[in-house]
């Protein structure tokens, strides 16, 4: 069996996809796996050793040059792509998996003679491949600024049925017994996007704070050769570890902790099992693309900053300003990671929404009953019963609010038969639904995106009035299904947590043989038991 994985993204994205490639190898141990990637990231071969059998390079920069410079023949780029497609077809792949999900990769996979195409591809002038709910959710939530409840790797793992899990801390082995990592803290100060840089001066202050407070730890700064001059403006030469990707991986495997912005280095640290403190600023979205690791702490502000005149460019309202994350906050996270203290429980509502949406997305067939009990038990491993009790009133109130929105939108939807009689579309036909959508958007309460498809349906263009009914009706049906799952899941969770509370107090922990208390207390009557 031969599998082609397509990853025409940036370096950090390729490194982030390592769990997917390893999962693909785990699921298909005898398969020959080839990876198509952009030529400028050829150095990634050394850190994907043992995962991919063959690398194929797409020279995107040369193709763009060929299309834009007068010195190239107008058909040169087309010929290069045609040769690439012919070469790939000669490999006779059984399966192609699109890890990129953009138009370029879709057109390329669509041109290949491969029977089993997974993920987005183009065929007969149409985009296809959105075959299950997970891949549709990924396509909807990662194409722009829409929020996602799931990490990039989680979504594609579920979409392609590839076993993946966040990296866990690794402990090096020595002399037959486990040994601790070195007392080395690494700082990755620069990113490829200035808006995501926390600032060299802040990193310098953090380095000094760690060295003063944790005297047995050494703090060094990771950097590529082209970053040296920038780093030397603040740090001394002896503070720097200038290296390539392969050398950086070795340092990360030995480090006690990495402090980094949104970089490819954090993904390498995750694969190495190194604990991470990630500073998510600028346009970083930690839910979507944070380090995929159980040993990662993400620092970000509660809300985006307003337009300001800070040294970093944070003029867009979706950006988080570097000044909103203090040295004290970062050092607090460093202290927690290095001291081994338990990381604080993640947001209750975030965990609840993830569980509800997972149940929804797992239902490829609406007739399949989700496993509420199992999902509730899994959630109670992540959040405490006390947290559930403290937040249940707010959670249930939100469910009621969503129900009221759904009822209002459903009542405002004109009958299909009525719209079918209209030759032209009038905004007055859906005025009540537009007002409902405005209320939802203004409230900013639909943070998990229950009504996202409903709002998008109202913003779509239609050639016939009846088409808006079909689109909106389908979106409202999706909301109904989500709310039904939400309500059923809440019921199972409350039942399970109540039983757990009883057991925590000792109720229900009676011996299996009956009431066998000491002395002359109540004893089980075996004859009655037989009856």
């Amino acid at each position: 069996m031969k599998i082609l994985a397509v990853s025409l993204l940036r370096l950090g994205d390729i490194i982030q996809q390592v769990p997917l490639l390893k999962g693909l190898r785990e699921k298909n141990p005898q398969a020959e796996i080839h990876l198509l990637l952009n030529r400028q990231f050829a150095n990634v071969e050394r850190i994907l050793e043992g995962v991919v059998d063959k690398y194929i390079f797409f020279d995107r920069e040369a193709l763009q040059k060929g299309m834009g410079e007068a010195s190239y023949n107008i058909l040169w780029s087309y010929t290069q792509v045609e040769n690439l497609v012919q070469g790939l077809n000669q490999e006779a792949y059984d399966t192609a998996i699109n890890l990129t999900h953009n138009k370029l990769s879709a057109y390329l996979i669509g041109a290949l003679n491969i029977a089993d195409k997974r993920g987005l591809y183009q065929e007969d002038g149409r985009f296809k491949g959105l075959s299950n709910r997970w891949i549709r959710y990924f396509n909807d939530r990662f194409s722009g600024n829409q929020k996602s409840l799931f990490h990039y790797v989680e979504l594609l793992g579920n979409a392609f049925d590839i076993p993946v899990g966040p990296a866990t801390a690794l402990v090096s082995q020595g002399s037959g017994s486990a040994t601790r990592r070195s007392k080395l803290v690494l700082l990755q100060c620069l990113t490829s996007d200035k808006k995501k840089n926390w600032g060299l001066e802040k990193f310098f202050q953090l380095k000094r704070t760690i060295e003063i407070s944790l005297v047995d730890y050494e703090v060094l700064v990771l950097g590529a050769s082209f970053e040296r001059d920038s780093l030397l403006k603040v740090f001394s030469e002896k503070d720097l570890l200038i290296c390539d990707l392969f050398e950086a991986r070795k340092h990360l495997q030995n480090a006690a902790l990495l402090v980094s912005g949104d970089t490819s280095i954090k993904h390498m640290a995750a694969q190495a099992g190194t604990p991470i403190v990630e500073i998510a600023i600028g346009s970083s979205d930690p839910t979507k693309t944070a380090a995929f690791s159980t040993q990662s702490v993400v620092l970000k502000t509660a809300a985006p900053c307003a337009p300001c005149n800070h040294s970093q460019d944070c003029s867009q309202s979706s950006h988080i300003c570097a000044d909103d994350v203090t040295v004290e906050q970062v050092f607090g996270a460093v202290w927690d990671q290095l001291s081994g203290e338990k990381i604080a429980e993640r947001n209750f509502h975030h965990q609840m929404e993830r569980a509800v949406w997972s149940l929804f997305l797992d239902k490829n067939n609406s007739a399949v009953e989700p496993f509420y009990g199992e999902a509730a038990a899994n959630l109670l491993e992540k959040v405490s019963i006390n947290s559930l009790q403290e937040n249940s009133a707010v959670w249930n109130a939100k469910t009621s609010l969503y129900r009221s929105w759904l009822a209002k939108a459903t009542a405002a939807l004109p009958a299909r038969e009525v719209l079918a009689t209209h030759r032209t579309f009038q905004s007055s036909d859906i005025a009540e639904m537009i007002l409902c959508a405005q209320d939802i958007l203004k409230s900013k309460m639909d943070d998990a995106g229950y009504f996202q498809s409903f709002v998008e349906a109202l913003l779509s263009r239609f050639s016939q009035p009846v088409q808006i009914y079909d689109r909106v009706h389908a979106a409202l049906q999706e909301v109904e299904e989500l709310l039904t799952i939400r309500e059923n899941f809440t019921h199972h969770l409350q039942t399970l947590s109540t039983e757990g509370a009883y057991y925590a107090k000792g109720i229900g922990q009676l011996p299996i043989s009956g009431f066998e208390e000491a002395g002359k207390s109540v004893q089980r009557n075996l004859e009655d038991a037989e009856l």
Side-chain angles (χ1 to χ4, degrees), residues 31 33 50 63 67 107 115 174 222 230 265 329 349 375 411 438 492 506 527:
I33 299 175
L63 290 172
M67 290 185 288
Y107 280 115
L222 274 178
S230 297
I265 293 296
Q329 287 174 314
H349 294 278
Q438 287 177 342
H492 278 75
E527 292 182 0

Side-chain angles (χ1 to χ4, degrees), residues 300-317:
K300 62 185 180 69
T301 53
C305 69
C308 60
N309 296 316
H310 296 150
S311 58
Q312 300 294 344
D313 176 14
C314 54
S315 56
Q316 297 187 34
S317 60

Side-chain angles (χ1 to χ4, degrees), residues 177-426:
S177 61
T179 59
R180 295 187 64 183
R181 290 177 178 269
S182 71
K183 296 287 183 85
L184 172 64
V185 175
L186 295 175
L187 308 180
Q188 175 64 42
C189 303
L190 298 174
T191 73
S192 59
D193 186 343
K194 289 183 179 179
K195 293 187 295 294
K196 297 179 181 180
N197 286 342
W198 189 42
L200 292 179
E201 288 291 345
K202 289 189 177 67
F203 270 109
F204 180 80
Q205 293 173 33
L206 177 65
K207 182 178 185 298
R208 293 287 298 142
T209 304
I210 296 173
E211 290 171 337
I212 292 170
S213 304
L214 304 168
V215 293
D216 53 340
Y217 280 90
E218 180 185 16
V219 184
L220 294 175
V221 178
L222 274 178
S225 56
F226 65 89
E227 296 172 330
R228 182 193 295 273
D229 290 343
S230 297
L231 294 172
L232 285 175
K233 292 177 182 178
V234 174
F235 299 99
S236 65
E237 186 72 46
K238 65 181 180 60
D239 294 330
L240 304 186
L241 268 179
I242 302 299
C243 54
D244 61 19
L245 276 177
F246 188 71
E247 293 168 333
R249 184 174 68 164
K250 291 181 179 178
H251 293 307
L252 290 167
Q253 289 170 339
N254 186 49
L257 180 70
L258 170 73
V259 183
S260 175
D262 186 5
T263 67
S264 57
I265 293 296
K266 74 178 184 186
H267 298 304
M268 289 181 62
Q271 298 310 309
T274 305
I276 304 162
V277 172
E278 179 179 342
I279 306 169
I281 55 178
S283 55
S284 300
D285 188 329
T287 301
K288 291 181 179 180
T289 55
F292 194 51
S293 168
T294 60
Q295 301 298 310
S296 176
V297 173
V298 180
L299 289 172
K300 62 185 180 69
T301 53
C305 69
C308 60
N309 296 316
H310 296 150
S311 58
Q312 300 294 344
D313 176 14
C314 54
S315 56
Q316 297 187 34
S317 60
S318 62
H319 293 163
I320 292 173
C321 183
D323 288 0
D324 292 335
V325 180
T326 67
V327 174
E328 290 75 18
Q329 287 174 314
V330 178
F331 177 70
V334 169
W335 179 281
D336 289 346
Q337 287 282 56
L338 294 177
S339 67
E341 293 180 9
K342 184 178 180 180
I343 298 171
E345 180 181 282
R346 288 197 68 184
N347 181 270
F348 168 82
H349 294 278
H350 179 78
Q351 292 287 358
M352 288 284 284
E353 294 291 14
R354 277 174 54 88
V356 171
W357 274 91
S358 292
L359 289 166
F360 171 77
L361 296 171
D362 278 334
K363 288 179 63 177
N364 283 321
N365 184 337
S366 60
V368 176
E369 183 71 13
F371 298 101
Y372 293 112
E374 182 181 350
N378 290 337
L379 183 74
L380 286 176
E381 293 179 359
K382 301 172 185 175
V383 300
S384 65
I385 293 176
N386 288 338
S387 180
L388 175 64
Q389 294 170 342
E390 291 170 1
N391 291 279
S392 59
V394 175
W395 174 262
N396 292 332
K398 208 169 191 180
T399 303
S400 299
L401 176 64
Y402 289 172
R403 272 289 174 197
S404 68
W405 285 345
L406 177 61
K408 185 177 179 181
T410 303
L413 178 62
R416 195 177 195 278
E417 294 77 12
V418 173
L419 289 174
T421 63
H422 294 195
R423 298 183 64 182
T424 59
F425 173 74
Q426 301 292 331

Side-chain angles (χ1 to χ4, degrees), residues 131-176:
S131 55
N132 61 58
R133 290 183 175 184
W134 283 101
I135 198 67
R136 288 196 292 272
Y137 184 96
F138 173 80
N139 198 61
D140 290 343
R141 302 301 174 98
F142 275 76
S143 58
N145 293 324
Q146 295 90 341
K147 292 182 179 179
S148 171
L149 290 165
F150 303 93
H151 193 277
Y152 173 91
V153 174
E154 284 182 287
L155 283 173
L156 289 185
N158 282 294
F160 299 136
D161 193 24
I162 297 174
V164 295
T168 56
L170 300 179
V171 180
S172 60
Q173 300 294 318
S175 304

